[in-house]
Amino acid sequence: MVKRYLTVTSLDATLSLLNTSFACIPSREVVPLLKSVGRVTAEPIFARYSVPEVHLAAMDGIAVVSKETEGASEQHPVTLDHALRVNTGNVVPPRFDAVIMIEEVHVQNEKFTIRKAAPPWQHVRPAGEDIGESEMALPSRHLIRPSDTGALAAYGITDVTVLTVRIGLIPTGSELVPHGDHPSPGQVVESNTVMAEAMLVTLGGTCTRYPMVKDNPDEIKKILRQAVAENDLVIISAGSSAGTKDYTAEVIAELGEVLIHGIAIKPGKPAIIGRIADKPIIGMPGYPLSALTVLREIVLPLLHRFGLPVPSWETIDALFTVSVSKDIGSDEFILCSLGHVGNRWVLSPLSRGAGVQMSAVRSNAYLKIPAGVEGFEAGKSVTARLTVPRTEAERALLVTGSHDPLLDYLADLLMQKEVDLHSTHVGSMGGILTLKKNECHAAPMHLLADDGEYNIPYLQKYLPGEDVVLICVTERQQGIVSKEGIGFDGLCGHTFVNRQRGSGTRMLLDHLLKKNRIDSSDIRGYEREVTTHLAVALAVKSGEADAGMCVYSAAKALGLCFNPVASERYEIAIRSEYLDDPRVSALCDTIISPDFKAILHRLGGYDTRETGVRRVLP
Amino acid sequence: MVKRYLTVTSLDATLSLLNTSFACIPSREVVPLLKSVGRVTAEPIFARYSVPEVHLAAMDGIAVVSKETEGASEQHPVTLDHALRVNTGNVVPPRFDAVIMIEEVHVQNEKFTIRKAAPPWQHVRPAGEDIGESEMALPSRHLIRPSDTGALAAYGITDVTVLTVRIGLIPTGSELVPHGDHPSPGQVVESNTVMAEAMLVTLGGTCTRYPMVKDNPDEIKKILRQAVAENDLVIISAGSSAGTKDYTAEVIAELGEVLIHGIAIKPGKPAIIGRIADKPIIGMPGYPLSALTVLREIVLPLLHRFGLPVPSWETIDALFTVSVSKDIGSDEFILCSLGHVGNRWVLSPLSRGAGVQMSAVRSNAYLKIPAGVEGFEAGKSVTARLTVPRTEAERALLVTGSHDPLLDYLADLLMQKEVDLHSTHVGSMGGILTLKKNECHAAPMHLLADDGEYNIPYLQKYLPGEDVVLICVTERQQGIVSKEGIGFDGLCGHTFVNRQRGSGTRMLLDHLLKKNRIDSSDIRGYEREVTTHLAVALAVKSGEADAGMCVYSAAKALGLCFNPVASERYEIAIRSEYLDDPRVSALCDTIISPDFKAILHRLGGYDTRETGVRRVLP
């Protein structure tokens, strides 16, 4: 029988329990001053000596006894008996108490004549001006900045005692292969503890990744016991669910106690909080985005209590573009693309699959939908949390519509202009509707109308009277991808993989089927939909289907055969009002750049003769 | 004759010239994935294989042929001929196209019976769901986040090619000693290239610090030639001024050209922009805060052009607390303490001395006053740039008034409660006036009135009718500090060092002199003013003065003699409305904590019997 969580604990209750259950006493380590930036002091730091230790000249000039300069004026110059030539930074010996700038001194035969009195301590940097011997330069718990290192160096400090937390990371799972190995089908690269280490080390954590352990409770127990002895906190990756091969909770219970099994968050529900020898043990789910959520929402707050410098996520109020429903009772975290369109921020969800790490890579923000909410309608105002600096979010260019691999290359080129292209693949029709709602900057499309015209008839229908410009990216070849060179006329005899409804490629296929009087029900797999050209090619390469329709570059990338069936106009629609937006103009400039055209030629299947041609709606 | 800058270039013109004069082509380096967080990709990164490579079960259950499940219902259960037990993550072999959760399956004698049809591809993670083979995972110029590393690890990436800039750092100056050595009088620790390296390495720079060079043009030239050959950018520390021993400009001119000598910024004016072999050469002034300003305002924008991830400083509008005047024509940068008091942000300048590195350490913000402005009045609204995260600035507790070394220890204890105490030493009277203007949270003071009462008469006079609470920190001993045990009655025969007018210590001294009928003009050095207790003790230790008046802890810290002359009440005045502010209540809690009392006893000269006693104005 399958084990189930008896109870699921809310995120708030989980965080409270962590607060009350653990003392969170950090460890300390000594690091060289040059490695101390971003670390947190474990104890106050005191100046070893005064800086400066003696009075110094603050100007090039002469050191004088101020009393001897009294009465000097233009009318009554004074020639000094006692004076000493000093440069900036030279010691002002104790018998002197002022410095006169060399420009104000007449020098002849090593005699100094002045025409203005010097008040005591003029142009003298007094001993201890910067800091006094034994004075506290930095308190404990101070986050060390680069400018602090200069001061500490000057005060005689070469090493700094900083806070750390020793964190043991235990990867479990019989299906794991180490990072760097190519996994066989059904195997998985052990990437979650890599991500955890990368994240926790930047905060000053000292991570030990233990060897991968198979799904064997005795082996897990042995390594967990060792990890608890050697660390302040232990994170066990995977095995935290309730399946037949999930032993994490059982092993924690044997060595200590399970405080929580199952947390009301999505993704991340199968998480565990345990305690062994008064130390916190976190069972982190195996799905990468579940792991990410548990790290961000549970482990980071815990490390903050240990004193590590966990950053706060900046928030931005934005319009959420789609309707979502969710289970009541769980906090749900949705990775999103955030961009500023028109006069407001727009937030679009990325794939919610817990295995889709590209959602994390593509996202620049995330949304927390609280447990008490069942979901909400598109157009709601929400508060997003940024995962990039705000300035980077301001550079986001939202491109929503038809997918083509060339968009990734456009994104690559645009990064050099500091524009961050976020492309969302919702098909050509999806792009038109997003453009209509003014929720993207640009919508790529290739929609063939009955009259043989591309795109314009659809824009006229859906955005009548609106001021929209079409910019041609390329004329591109669509064709049948296969292992064996199947052509359009051979489709009926083979298994097919289709694109989703609303995509231009799907509409092109339907157009061609109709034209050739082929009934779609004669095509096996017609109902099997995927959302990108590469997904079509992959389905063919993996043997799931014999053929599909996609662009040439996708077939070429996977070394498959390609039989062209049509050339189509792939254009980007942009509201004219945004053409002057620096992000949009960078996009337009990049489309016509020689670098981009060279990439199109290299990828193959793209004709650039029309590239950059602008059309306005008649 | 002293050389002078012929012309001084504005900061804006300097940055423009840097933009037009240098191509800023970054270098690249390959780093292990785990070391790549915070770095910027030098080229796009592609997935080595699809993830997943084949269809996987997304649930524990059975893999089925969806067609065979058609028609299954509660009334008509279907027992399947073809099905395979799978766990989450197991391969779904090509002959199957759906998964049914195990909870929905009746298992008997290895036969599977179901009561609900499975639509095609139900609970299947399709091959390439996350990413397809050859697909672009990251564009170039992407700032790598921890969550990206997990994805890259899963996609088969072990090493990442990232941008760097090779930066040569050349410390010059005959007065320098290496970081870690105790400087003799007139010597200086070489801390500027330490600070530069600490700052530039965090951005992904590859720094080479060359050996210190004396003020010798031939030696500087030799090492500069080597540094130019080995780096993309060279920074020469010091020697950039126009003194007799400043050779930086001369050497750059011999190897290439000096584009700018003298930039209209304060601090930082004696800076140089040069070009050798098409590479930028920066002459960075020797004063630490001048160096910091040149790094922040000139080198960081240049590195941004090279593609390094230079953070943008967040800004906050604040009320500036003092009047400032400045030279027109120069941008001036003033390090400040920023805190939120009442309903607005308050910005107070720290010492403007270019050698006072503690200003950088103590500051959490800075103010740029543009070249065109001559200065402004106190109370002006200005825009500050933060040098800490905004959340840290929100934790700033502004304590302004009388100085005592115990404030540093209070600050240290408060950091553990995440309160960041910023103390500004303006004397007791200065604190009262700041409190009156509502520009601080708390004002420490020890003002003796003629009637022998402490503090209350002054608050009644300057803040009549206001709701203010006094909290006693300690009764503390003031006394005469000396090397030889001088007492109050011995002051006339020795040199004295005084505290500034308005400080409680000065007022106590004047009170005692008057009471003892001593004329201040009989005290040699009475007019010599310093601003802290430790500065008084330092002046005595250095031999500048024979005696001064300060608290016991300062004398003890420097191992000097101390003759008590009075015990005084050191209290903190707080507007009652702020007592509930978490920062202020943390301060009050800390004052009465056993930890703090233990520190006071250890420091010595403090009586804690009255500590924590509250008094309200009658």
Side-chain angles (χ1 to χ4, degrees), chain B residues 338-505:
Chain B
L338 176 73
H340 197 262
V341 181
N343 56 1
R344 73 228 195 290
W345 289 93
V346 167
L347 187 71
S348 298
L350 295 159
S351 164
R352 287 156 84 177
V356 182
Q357 301 201 68
M358 279 305 286
S359 290
V361 172
R362 291 200 173 108
S363 67
N364 57 1
Y366 69 96
L367 176 66
K368 176 185 179 180
I369 309 183
V373 173
E374 245 181 309
F376 46 70
E377 299 291 305
K380 185 175 165 60
S381 172
V382 297
T383 300
R385 304 186 196 185
L386 292 181
T387 59
V388 298
R390 189 186 168 97
T391 44
E392 193 178 317
E394 285 165 355
R395 301 197 303 248
L397 172 77
L398 301 189
V399 175
T400 305
S402 163
H403 172 262
D404 190 289
L406 64 81
L407 289 175
D408 289 338
Y409 290 89
L410 268 180
D412 181 51
L413 292 173
L414 278 165
M415 284 298 271
Q416 296 183 27
K417 299 176 178 169
E418 299 201 69
V419 172
D420 191 9
L421 188 155
H422 282 253
S423 67
T424 309
H425 312 144
V426 296
S428 295
M429 277 309 301
I432 282 191
L433 298 175
T434 307
L435 195 72
K436 183 177 170 67
K437 290 193 286 176
N438 198 7
E439 291 173 356
C440 67
H441 295 105
M445 58 185 62
H446 56 109
L447 289 167
L448 177 59
D450 290 338
D451 62 356
E453 174 67 282
Y454 269 94
N455 302 325
I456 284 185
Y458 289 88
L459 287 168
Q460 284 176 318
K461 179 173 175 190
Y462 289 97
L463 284 88
E466 304 246 24
D467 197 1
V468 173
V469 172
L470 276 165
I471 295 170
C472 185
V473 183
T474 182
E475 298 265 349
R476 68 178 189 182
Q477 282 186 338
Q478 291 263 21
I480 302 303
V481 58
S482 66
K483 279 183 182 156
E484 296 143 16
I486 299 168
F488 186 77
D489 47 8
L491 286 186
C492 287
H494 295 91
T495 328
F496 191 72
V497 55
N498 210 343
R499 285 291 305 281
Q500 84 276 20
R501 255 160 294 189
S503 70
T505 304

Side-chain angles (χ1 to χ4, degrees), chain A residues 34-93:
Chain A
L34 262 168
K35 303 275 184 196
S36 69
V37 172
R39 304 299 298 271
V40 172
T41 52
E43 55 192 24
I45 298 175
F46 299 92
R48 294 218 177 150
Y49 39 76
S50 299
V51 177
E53 274 198 300
V54 297
H55 297 333
L56 301 180
M59 290 284 176
D60 295 345
I62 55 171
V64 299
V65 181
S66 62
K67 226 166 183 74
E68 296 182 1
T69 71
E70 281 175 8
S73 69
E74 287 295 332
Q75 288 72 37
H76 299 96
V78 170
T79 299
L80 299 166
D81 293 327
H82 306 96
L84 177 72
R85 183 76 175 81
V86 287
N87 277 326
T88 305
N90 285 165
V91 176
V92 175

